[in-house]
Amino acid sequence: QVQLVESGGDLVQPGGSLRLSCAASGFRLDYYDIYWFRQAPGKEREGLSCISSSGGNTYYVDIVKGRFTISRDNAKSTVYLQMNSLTPEDTAVYYCAATPAYGDACLPLISDDDSRGQGTQVTVSS
């Protein structure tokens, strides 16, 4: 059974950092690109970043570029999202999702066909 479990969300002050984890089980993680997206209350889902199945390519949307870093450890079946310089606008539920890899490039395009986790809450507030 394909399962993704996010963790690491927390309450953090503006300017702070968090590292989210996405633990995968039930499938070969190295066959999939992984992306992170978020959803804040009353807002649309927002794709943030992705990492190719090999880890050789990453992509970031402009609003997180330079602040967030995605990485993966296929041996541990885990993907990470390091988030720095957090602002209140980053407050949301963060999700990871897996999409089959085609080639070695990726985009954080959200699809309801992709397996995803239950999300982890990130709150940025003083």
Side-chain angles (χ1 to χ4, degrees):
Q1 181 180 356
V2 173
Q3 188 173 20
L4 295 167
V5 178
E6 301 94 338
S7 61
D10 205 345
L11 170 63
V12 63
Q13 292 188 342
S17 298
L18 284 174
R19 189 176 82 154
L20 306 184
S21 298
C22 171
S25 62
F27 68 104
R28 283 282 301 270
L29 185 64
D30 56 341
Y31 288 176
Y32 290 81
D33 299 334
I34 303 295
Y35 60 95
W36 287 91
F37 68 97
R38 69 188 181 190
Q39 187 163 28
K43 294 188 176 181
E44 297 284 323
R45 294 178 299 180
E46 184 175 39
L48 302 174
S49 178
C50 67
I51 186 165
S52 63
S53 56
S54 70
N57 284 288
T58 58
Y59 182 92
Y60 302 91
V61 297
D62 285 347
I63 56 171
V64 304
K65 196 175 297 181
R67 300 191 299 127
F68 291 10
T69 303
I70 192 170
S71 61
R72 67 192 292 161
D73 185 338
N74 285 341
K76 294 183 178 179
S77 294
T78 303
V79 176
Y80 306 96
L81 186 68
Q82 176 68 42
M83 307 188 297
N84 299 328
S85 303
L86 288 164
T87 75
E89 289 67 39
D90 294 315
T91 295
V93 179
Y94 284 69
Y95 300 86
C96 63
T99 189
Y102 297 100
D104 202 37
C106 67
L107 287 172
L109 300 176
I110 301 168
S111 169
D112 290 334
D113 293 333
D114 293 333
S115 298
R116 69 185 66 179
Q118 82 292 344
T120 186
Q121 176 71 47
V122 172
T123 302
V124 185
S125 175
S126 55

